Amino acid sequence: MQDSLSVNDLDAWARRPSASLRRDRFGLMMARVEIIAPSPVIDYVAWYTEGFFARGGSRVGARLVIHEVNPELIGSVKDARLTPPLRRAVLPTSPDTVCFVDDTHSTVHLFLAAATSDEPKLVAVRILRALVLRALLGDGRPFFHAACFTLRGVGVALVGRRTAGKTTLLLHCLDSLGALLVSNDKFALVQDTDSDAVDALGFPIQIGIRAGSVLTLGDSSLRAFLMRRWSQRFGGVEAHRDDLETRLGIRPQELAAAADSTVMPRCRLGVAIEPCLDPDAVTPRLERLNEDERRTLWTHNLLRRPAEVFPQQAALAGPTSKIEMRIPEVPTYRLVQPPTAGPLTSRVIEDLVCRVSVEG
């Protein structure tokens, strides 16, 4: 391995003949990434992002090149002198990973000693998401800290602070209403060019589920699935009932399948709900937010910078967008509910969606 590395050196390395390397493209129509990587990595990315990111296509905005190198050479690669415009990027979740970024050509070079193991393959997925995110934010498409599902053709956003009950509410709607999963924690917003309507874009991100959320579900295939996964990972669910930190990570496609549902990568947003737990509430109720309250809620949960959306991959991001980001012009409600409302709350949402559908 040479003492210095340039963009031309790395590009030549990526173009070298190799039976184990494949090229493919993943992402969204407005943000697609070309990946050059060993076959197991390509297959893992396709599996992990299935249903959210399209495969193939002609327009490419960024590249991810994964170089599998001999373990003895990783140290020399890491210490090599980089010539501009290459720079090093540190990924906090993978501190031993060697990652170089070429911002001029929107290319990330990832060096792995064992690209076929699960953790490096997951790093590739995280970088892919970060590159898609970079393109979306660069075009002025905002992200929000919110969950989203679609019911009866109406996109429903669950917007609110941490521990407000968004995931629990989402689980109940998937379980008892047959809702389709768009996103659990973050989604991007795309403005319709021909109207004031907006679409929510889901992302292939693991869903973190607390034990308390699992225990609120009634007897169902979804509850059985989560109980089994929780026991395999952490032991008894009951022991973690009040634990707000421990979460079970579930791939969204698997969660939807366990609820006899599916994922929908994009939906037309029709209504927003702010979940609020109230121990003194007897039954769940809806309160329509006024214009100031609506804007405050959405603005508070707006994620403007890459570090706010995917903080662990913030080092891959470009400059923060200066474009003014609009918030959704959809009716927004506060859902006040007792902690144990469960399926009753999902029925209140179903009634609201029916009204919105009729009015629309």
Side-chain angles (χ1 to χ4, degrees), residues 1-271:
M1 175 64 63
Q2 57 204 69
D3 294 333
S4 64
L5 289 172
S6 68
V7 169
N8 290 336
D9 294 329
L10 296 181
D11 283 345
W13 201 348
R15 290 194 302 268
R16 75 191 188 280
S18 174
S20 64
L21 287 180
R22 284 166 50 195
R23 293 173 180 262
D24 213 328
R25 294 171 178 182
F26 298 91
L28 307 169
M29 183 179 299
M30 68 290 291
R32 205 177 302 275
V33 178
E34 181 180 44
I35 300 181
I36 304 171
S39 291
V41 176
I42 297 290
D43 293 337
Y44 185 88
V45 170
W47 168 77
Y48 201 99
T49 63
E50 182 182 11
F52 286 99
F53 287 170
R55 194 171 182 177
S58 56
R59 180 186 175 188
V60 174
R63 285 198 312 161
L64 169 59
V65 184
I66 297 179
H67 308 273
E68 189 172 22
V69 298
N70 190 302
E72 286 77 17
L73 294 178
I74 283 290
S76 60
V77 174
K78 187 175 184 179
D79 296 334
R81 179 173 59 84
L82 303 183
T83 61
L86 285 177
R87 63 177 175 87
R88 287 178 172 81
V90 178
L91 308 178
T93 54
S94 308
D96 296 328
T97 297
V98 180
C99 186
F100 302 150
V101 181
D102 172 8
D103 289 306
T104 302
H105 302 95
S106 297
T107 300
V108 173
H109 295 270
L110 183 65
F111 290 82
L112 301 173
T116 56
S117 62
D118 283 349
E119 180 56 31
K121 289 187 288 189
L122 186 55
V123 173
V125 172
R126 291 169 180 159
I127 293 177
L128 168 64
R129 287 193 309 233
L131 292 174
V132 173
L133 154 72
R134 174 175 171 165
L136 292 173
L137 284 178
D139 287 342
R141 295 183 171 95
F143 274 72
F144 291 93
H145 180 209
C148 186
F149 63 86
T150 179
L151 180 64
R152 300 182 184 275
V154 177
V156 181
L158 303 177
V159 190
R161 59 179 178 80
R162 187 173 180 266
T163 73
K166 297 189 299 295
T167 301
T168 302
L169 191 53
L170 175 66
L171 291 177
H172 279 288
C173 290
L174 292 175
D175 192 36
S176 60
L177 301 182
L180 304 181
L181 176 62
V182 177
S183 178
N184 172 67
D185 192 50
K186 302 177 181 78
F187 65 76
L189 208 62
V190 176
Q191 185 75 33
D192 191 312
T193 56
D194 299 322
S195 69
D196 291 332
V198 289
D199 288 355
L201 299 180
F203 259 64
I205 309 171
Q206 272 198 345
I207 298 176
I209 301 174
R210 300 184 183 93
S213 297
V214 177
L215 292 171
T216 64
L217 295 171
D219 291 334
S220 64
S221 59
L222 179 58
R223 178 187 171 102
F225 167 78
L226 293 174
M227 293 280 282
R228 183 171 62 255
R229 284 291 186 89
W230 190 278
S231 297
Q232 291 170 350
R233 180 74 186 277
F234 303 114
V237 180
E238 286 286 352
H240 295 269
R241 176 185 288 271
D242 299 319
D243 184 351
L244 298 181
E245 298 303 321
T246 304
R247 299 187 184 191
L248 175 67
I250 298 291
R251 188 167 150 263
Q253 299 92 328
E254 294 179 89
L255 182 70
D260 294 323
S261 182
T262 186
V263 297
M264 176 170 284
R266 180 170 181 157
C267 73
R268 180 60 48 87
L269 205 57
V271 66

Side-chain angles (χ1 to χ4, degrees), residues 345-356:
T345 301
S346 61
R347 297 300 174 187
V348 171
I349 292 180
E350 184 178 36
D351 291 342
L352 173 62
V353 168
C354 288
R355 295 202 306 270
V356 171

